[in-house]
Amino acid sequence: MHNKWYSAFKALLGPALLVWNRPTIEGAEHVPDEGGVILVSNHQAVMDSFYLPLMLRRQITFPAKSEYFTQPGLRGRFKRFFFTAVGQIPVHRGDSNAGANLQQAAREVIVDRNDVFGIYPEGTRSPDGRIYKGRTGMARVAMDTGAPVILVAMIGTREANPIGSVLPRPAKVRIKLSEPIDPHAWATEHGFDPHSREVMRPFTDFVMHKMSALSGYPYVDVYASDVKKHLEETGRYPEGAEPEED
């Protein structure tokens, strides 16, 4: 079910984005009409969270940094209103309970409300468009809830909304969705207890490699946040994450 502000944002922004970026979607039929489900997406641009909801019927709830909901002043109030309106929920990420906070928020969406939970396992936008190593929070949510996992490949959104840009550019956007993955069945098939800690990293790596294949973007076995930090400090990519030369 859409909240009224979520529907209003889609109605106001949707027509312009449909004309400007001509988004298309493949595999939307894999998202069930009802019931809890997890959409696991690569993260190319801020506007990933606009294009994907625009192209799906069901409302998607993404976890967002709690700081977005607590900033002071007029700008802070607008951010709080905006993120609430588009269905995002605050999650505290900087403390020792970050993982538990994410799981609790996810359970409320997936289990209690039978809604769609969206998550970016890279944890931050890709610095160069490639697919980076995933954080295991996604796997913990999947194994905890048992909800089907559908992979989302956002293609072209980095060109449409480069890092640092505010207004989108007229670049073509494509979205591809995979068939659902049963996380518990995957764990059992690969010899893991779905509720064990040992399954989290293998399932996360499996998902990220599948996402790389779905999107066509190369996979890098390094956290995107570490690459960004190294680039800021040295101006160079860390060893093992250097882009291939054309």
Side-chain angles (χ1 to χ4, degrees), residues 166-179:
V166 177
L167 298 176
R169 299 178 183 179
K172 174 71 175 175
V173 168
R174 293 191 297 134
I175 304 171
K176 297 172 68 175
L177 276 64
S178 75
E179 294 184 1

Side-chain angles (χ1 to χ4, degrees), residues 1-2 6 10 31 37-39 48-63 86-89 109 113 115-120 152:
M1 180 182 297
H2 288 189
Y6 188 94
K10 288 184 68 170
V31 180
V37 64
I38 306 168
L39 298 186
D48 290 338
S49 299
F50 290 76
Y51 294 115
L52 182 57
L54 177 64
M55 302 302 290
L56 290 177
R57 295 188 304 275
R58 296 184 66 185
Q59 177 171 331
I60 309 168
T61 300
F62 287 95
V86 297
Q88 300 202 15
I89 51 177
V109 175
R113 291 167 23 197
D115 282 343
V116 182
F117 185 77
I119 188 168
Y120 300 116
V152 180

